[in-house]
Amino acid sequence: MSTLIQLVLSGILIGSVYALMSIGLTLIFGVLRIVNFAHGEFLMIAMYGAWAFSNLFGLNPYMAATAIVPAMFLFGAVVYWLVISPALDKPHLVVVFATMALSIFLQNAALMAMTADLRDIPPIFNRSITIGSIFLKVELLLGFLITILCTVGLQWMIKKTYLGKAIRATVQDGEAAMLMGIPVPRIFLITFAGGSALVGLAACVMVPLFSVFPSVGLNFVLIAFVIVVLGGMGSIEGALLGGICVGVMQSLSGYYIAPAFGQMFFFVLFLLVMIFRPNGLLGQKGAAMIGMNE
């Protein structure tokens, strides 16, 4: 029984880290209604940044987040200005191919600059927290707490602040929001840059857990897409729930069947949810067309 509890808790913790990576993606989709296929490469760049801070300045990745998050916000703003904004009034496929091209470019640029070598940082915490027969890795526990704080903070921002209300108004009717004096293009810019900053935060949480290499984003972006659709398109709390479901499924199937089949089982879960609940676990009907959930 203790093994099952250990597996479920480990799955919840790793799933929350996956969810943190996915929240930026669902925020961008919820407002701009575009899927950023370069999301994984944004994660890769931020992970290299956290690795560099750790190796060059001796800062642990959590301290490096104070620099990585603003840097990724600026990087996201530049990408929006150069790549996304010119394609927004074009057919949807233009944005899709633009972000795919950006993904390939960033991955190859990283391969040329950093080679294909795996980069790691030294362990930050050398012990786990022990509760009876249960062991909790400190880095995963920190990731879980950061994800919960981000989810609650984002929900509060969207529901209570002027910026959040402007974002919701833009999602509901962009033209009406513009007539009411809301700077819709600026809201788009802030949302895209904010989603990029969130993936920067996720990278700082993930660097102590995973190696960094040029194609690391591909390993995680597919999981992020599954989580976003599983939780409900545009739903921030749905991304958290979807991430936890994926993490638990991966943990249980990896132990009881084989680690190599971990991804297969959460894709089976994904297919079952899509068949019986096409809008996702916490999604609203039509959210894929309308945008962020209320």
Side-chain angles (χ1 to χ4, degrees):
M1 188 62 185
S2 63
T3 302
L4 179 62
I5 296 172
Q6 174 74 63
L7 290 171
V8 170
L9 286 177
S10 298
I12 290 172
L13 296 183
I14 191 66
S16 68
V17 174
Y18 292 157
L20 181 61
M21 169 188 66
S22 309
I23 287 174
L25 191 65
T26 201
L27 181 67
I28 291 171
F29 173 81
V31 178
L32 277 76
R33 300 172 205 177
I34 62 169
V35 178
N36 180 17
F37 283 92
H39 193 75
E41 279 58 49
F42 284 26
L43 179 74
M44 175 267 293
I45 290 172
M47 288 179 78
Y48 268 122
W51 170 82
F53 267 94
S54 177
N55 279 270
L56 298 178
F57 305 113
L59 287 176
N60 73 54
Y62 305 107
M63 295 291 290
T66 56
I68 297 293
V69 172
M72 287 304 296
F73 184 92
L74 291 176
F75 179 73
V78 171
V79 169
Y80 175 84
W81 184 58
L82 292 177
V83 178
I84 305 298
S85 180
L88 278 181
D89 57 349
K90 306 288 190 307
H92 186 67
L93 279 178
V94 174
V95 181
V96 171
F97 287 124
T99 56
M100 287 181 70
L102 179 64
S103 166
I104 295 168
F105 169 76
L106 292 175
Q107 196 178 133
N108 283 277
L111 191 60
M112 290 176 65
M114 304 300 293
T115 73
D117 293 344
L118 275 63
R119 319 275 176 171
D120 293 290
I121 65 168
I124 299 173
F125 305 102
N126 288 318
R127 64 186 183 88
S128 299
I129 293 176
T130 306
I131 305 172
S133 59
I134 305 298
F135 296 89
L136 300 175
K137 196 174 175 65
V138 177
E139 289 89 344
L140 287 175
L141 201 56
L142 274 175
F144 176 77
L145 294 174
I146 291 170
T147 303
I148 296 297
L149 287 174
C150 274
T151 304
V152 173
L154 273 175
Q155 289 287 13
W156 175 82
M157 186 274 288
I158 287 172
K159 291 179 179 175
K160 300 294 182 183
T161 66
Y162 173 80
L163 176 61
K165 292 173 183 174
I167 289 174
R168 288 163 58 198
T170 303
V171 169
Q172 289 172 0
D173 192 328
E175 290 185 3
M178 194 174 290
L179 289 172
M180 295 296 107
I182 294 173
V184 172
R186 191 181 302 169
I187 294 295
F188 284 169
L189 171 65
I190 292 172
T191 303
F192 193 88
S196 305
L198 282 171
V199 82
L201 179 61
C204 294
V205 171
M206 293 171 74
V207 159
L209 301 167
F210 302 99
S211 299
V212 189
F213 50 97
S215 59
V216 67
L218 283 177
N219 291 357
F220 292 111
V221 75
L222 198 58
I223 298 175
F225 286 140
V226 169
I227 289 171
V228 168
V229 178
L230 187 63
M233 303 284 274
S235 171
I236 293 171
E237 64 274 24
L240 176 61
L241 180 60
I244 288 174
C245 288
V246 165
V248 171
M249 183 64 72
Q250 191 177 31
S251 177
L252 292 176
S253 59
Y255 180 82
Y256 287 112
I257 301 173
F261 295 120
Q263 286 199 358
M264 183 186 79
F265 282 95
F266 70 68
F267 274 108
V268 170
L269 172 67
F270 172 75
L271 288 173
L272 289 175
V273 171
M274 288 299 97
I275 290 170
F276 296 106
R277 191 171 171 79
N279 300 311
L281 295 172
L282 297 182
Q284 295 177 356
K285 189 176 181 180
M289 296 299 295
I290 296 170
M292 182 171 289
N293 291 342
E294 291 293 331

